[in-house]
Amino acid sequence: MWETTAICIRETAREVLGVSRGRSGKHRGDWWWNEEVKRKVKSKKVAYAKLVGSKDDEERQKNKDEYKVARREAKLAVTAAKTAAFESLYAALEEKDGDKKLYRMGRARERRARELDQVKCIKEEDAIVLVKDALIRER
């Protein structure tokens, strides 16, 4: 019974509200990550899990030292990856078509920063939905 009700609610919501494209699970600031950074961060997380799970003081101290080393290595890997990624970005912006790339990055940033809580559509008298700003202003 609950399953059919849930399916009915989902279908109705999909018909009325539509389906968005959604966003990927990727964070905005991790475009510079590489395999080395992933490996170092994963080892840091494993070391932290060992530290949290340790019972006696001797084991805790050993795991704490391992975690400190792993954390330091992860920080160095992140710094190196960021430096390399930004250097290549700056080099690409200095090239012949660098201004195009710069404007493309600016447009993408502006699209991401748009406020999604503002409704940007309006319905005319004959039930036509206006989405473009110019048509909304004309109305």
Side-chain angles (χ1 to χ4, degrees), residues 24-35 37-38 77-93 105 108-109 112:
S24 66
K26 190 174 182 181
H27 297 290
R28 287 187 198 169
D30 60 358
W31 58 272
W32 43 263
W33 276 50
N34 56 23
E35 293 301 318
V37 173
K38 287 179 187 177
V78 165
T79 303
K82 270 186 164 182
T83 302
F86 278 107
E87 282 178 358
S88 67
L89 174 67
Y90 296 148
L93 291 177
M105 286 171 49
R109 187 174 188 174
R112 284 192 311 261

Side-chain angles (χ1 to χ4, degrees), residues 49-76:
K50 278 187 196 177
L51 175 63
V52 171
S54 58
K55 302 293 182 195
D56 59 352
D57 290 335
E58 184 179 321
E59 183 184 6
R60 179 176 291 276
Q61 188 60 38
K62 185 184 88 157
N63 289 337
K64 188 175 182 180
D65 293 339
E66 289 177 8
Y67 174 68
K68 282 184 177 181
V69 170
R71 187 177 64 186
R72 192 174 306 123
E73 288 176 357
K75 280 186 176 185
L76 289 174

Side-chain angles (χ1 to χ4, degrees), residues 13-30:
R14 193 173 292 122
E15 289 173 9
V16 173
L17 301 173
V19 179
S20 71
R21 291 180 297 174
R23 296 234 182 238
S24 66
K26 190 174 182 181
H27 297 290
R28 287 187 198 169
D30 60 358

Side-chain angles (χ1 to χ4, degrees), residues 89 93 100-110:
L89 174 67
L93 291 177
K100 284 184 182 179
K101 291 179 184 177
L102 184 65
Y103 289 128
R104 190 178 307 136
M105 286 171 49
R107 282 195 308 268
R109 187 174 188 174
E110 189 269 331

